[in-house]
Amino acid sequence: MSNWIKEHIVFYYDVKKQGATNETLKESAYLQDLSGKGRRMKLNNFLFAEMSGVGGYNDNFSNWRTDSNNGVVKIESDSSIVIQSVKIEYRGALYQDSTKKATLKCNITGITEELKGKLIFRYTDAEGDKNITLENGYFEFNSSEYEGLSGWYGFSSKQPIDNCNITITQIPEYPGALVTDGVDDYGLVENLSSGVKMLFMTVNPIGDFNIGKMYYSQRHNPIDITPFYIFTGGTNNIAYAGNRDGVTYINGVLNKSITYNELFGVKHTITTVNDNVKPETSKAPSFFWEEGNTKNYCSRLAFYNSIAFDSIPTEADGFTEQELIDYVIDKYELK
């Protein structure tokens, strides 16, 4: 079976196995083809921060404010900072305008015994100034839960700190995934002129934002559905129905009853199989949208991986379609 895979694999993307980060993708906006066939996916319009890029983060520390008069903060990335000193007590070393909403889920390290009880998250609400004393470990703050926020909220100290190394790192919502914003993020496969016959795609649709959205398409003509596409129709329709002449599996099981709305917010692997795909009726695949169509179709997803093949196994290959599906899902950890 492994020899068949090597011969017929078209492309293979895996965000986690590539080791992709927002920083690396800012330098080169490609998901690499791990199959060795040279068919990279060009990522278009991604911010590579917040909920448009690797991991998915609720806020962007690069948009927060820092003032050298208040302290020294090193912004390691959009999601990670290091507080190196606080010069003025109860003043924000890193802070955000309270008119901007923020939901933070962070991990804090570097608070030594000497610094215990000093580092705070400070905010002002309708009742006045409030301080949350911070410790190493998990910290969460959701500004929408506080009424009458005014001024600013952010990280500070109860007293000046001359030298410290406190790291605050946001926790990703979707570890190991590429998150698309549902507005204009999409990916195009390079060095491929036509579509595939068998596609594996592991996704987690973010909420119910995905009605009438395109996860994948290789249609040459948007009117012709024969080359197959992965599209979400009405909530009560069987998922994924854009494969008229083929079959579709969810997590390796032929789907006959699962509807779109049952899969929103659920990580799952779609396997779409269609032996009628032909070069003259298909084109190079596009992910998260359909190239040339309205961007209203852009999907909001956490995308983990995808593998494609140019053929479907027959009896002559010595294994069945179902056996290949089970093998690929297990071997390539499409879970």
Side-chain angles (χ1 to χ4, degrees):
M1 187 182 299
S2 59
N3 287 334
W4 186 95
I5 288 176
K6 290 179 182 178
E7 181 179 349
H8 293 284
I9 193 169
V10 178
F11 55 71
Y12 169 35
Y13 309 114
D14 192 298
V15 178
K16 184 177 180 179
K17 290 180 180 178
Q18 178 179 324
T21 66
N22 285 321
E23 286 65 45
T24 60
L25 292 179
K26 281 179 182 178
E27 295 178 4
S28 180
Y30 290 93
L31 288 184
Q32 300 302 320
D33 176 13
L34 302 182
S35 75
K37 299 296 179 69
R39 292 169 177 141
R40 305 181 300 177
M41 185 199 301
K42 176 69 170 69
L43 302 177
N44 297 272
N45 300 330
F46 281 81
L47 178 64
F48 298 120
E50 301 168 48
M51 296 301 284
S52 174
V54 178
Y57 298 93
N58 286 303
D59 215 311
N60 186 342
F61 281 149
S62 294
N63 293 335
W64 285 43
R65 302 179 185 180
T66 184
D67 186 338
S68 59
N69 292 323
N70 295 340
V72 177
V73 177
K74 180 181 179 183
I75 298 178
E76 296 280 356
S77 69
D78 295 326
S79 59
S80 182
I81 62 169
V82 178
I83 297 177
Q84 298 178 325
S85 70
V86 180
K87 297 181 180 179
I88 303 176
E89 62 270 24
Y90 298 110
R91 294 290 295 174
L94 184 77
Y95 58 100
Q96 175 70 287
D97 188 325
S98 65
T99 61
K100 298 178 181 178
K101 300 298 182 181
T103 301
L104 293 176
K105 297 179 181 179
C106 302
N107 186 54
I108 301 174
T109 60
I111 299 178
T112 63
E113 286 293 327
E114 181 183 357
L115 297 175
K116 277 188 176 180
K118 295 181 180 180
L119 187 71
I120 58 173
F121 189 88
R122 186 171 174 81
Y123 65 95
T124 302
D125 63 11
E127 298 177 351
D129 294 336
K130 301 288 181 63
N131 300 322
I132 301 174
T133 301
L134 302 178
E135 300 177 353
N136 289 325
Y138 183 75
F139 170 69
E140 181 174 339
F141 179 82
N142 186 344
S143 62
S144 63
E145 296 178 356
Y146 297 85
E147 294 184 4
L149 283 178
S150 62
W152 57 270
Y153 49 79
F155 298 96
S156 186
S157 175
K158 294 179 180 179
Q159 63 188 71
I161 301 174
D162 291 332
N163 187 22
C164 60
N165 191 35
I166 300 169
T167 301
I168 301 172
T169 304
Q170 291 193 61
I171 298 170
E173 289 290 320
Y174 302 94
L178 177 72
V179 177
T180 66
D181 64 6
V183 178
D184 58 1
D185 295 344
Y186 67 97
L188 296 179
V189 177
E190 295 187 334
N191 301 319
L192 186 64
S193 59
S194 60
V196 303
K197 294 190 174 184
M198 192 171 190
L199 178 80
F200 295 77
M201 184 176 181
T202 305
V203 297
N204 187 340
I206 298 175
D208 57 359
F209 301 96
N210 285 285
I211 295 297
K213 302 299 181 180
M214 191 74 72
Y215 296 178
Y216 171 96
S217 179
Q218 57 184 23
R219 297 187 296 175
H220 189 275
N221 181 350
I223 298 177
D224 185 0
I225 68 172
T226 307
F228 88 70
Y229 56 104
I230 300 176
F231 182 78
T232 60
T235 57
N236 294 320
N237 293 345
I238 300 296
Y240 292 90
N243 188 19
R244 186 181 62 189
D245 297 332
V247 291
T248 299
Y249 300 75
I250 305 296
N251 295 329
V253 179
L254 186 64
N255 185 34
K256 296 182 179 180
S257 61
I258 300 174
T259 59
Y260 296 114
N261 55 306
E262 294 180 80
L263 296 171
F264 294 153
V266 177
K267 182 180 178 181
H268 61 283
T269 298
I270 307 163
T271 305
T272 301
V273 183
N274 190 326
D275 202 31
N276 289 323
V277 175
K278 299 177 177 62
E280 57 268 25
T281 60
S282 63
K283 65 178 180 179
S286 55
F287 281 81
F288 326 128
W289 174 55
E290 182 173 61
E291 185 184 16
N293 215 325
T294 171
K295 287 190 177 179
N296 290 333
Y297 285 163
C298 286
S299 55
R300 191 176 181 191
L301 297 171
F303 168 79
Y304 295 86
N305 48 55
S306 182
I307 299 176
F309 299 97
D310 62 10
S311 182
I312 300 167
T314 64
E315 291 183 6
D317 297 306
F319 52 91
T320 67
E321 175 180 301
Q322 183 67 63
E323 287 173 333
L324 176 64
I325 291 170
D326 294 341
Y327 177 86
V328 170
I329 289 177
D330 181 65
K331 180 71 174 180
Y332 290 87
E333 300 176 341
L334 309 186
K335 301 172 183 177

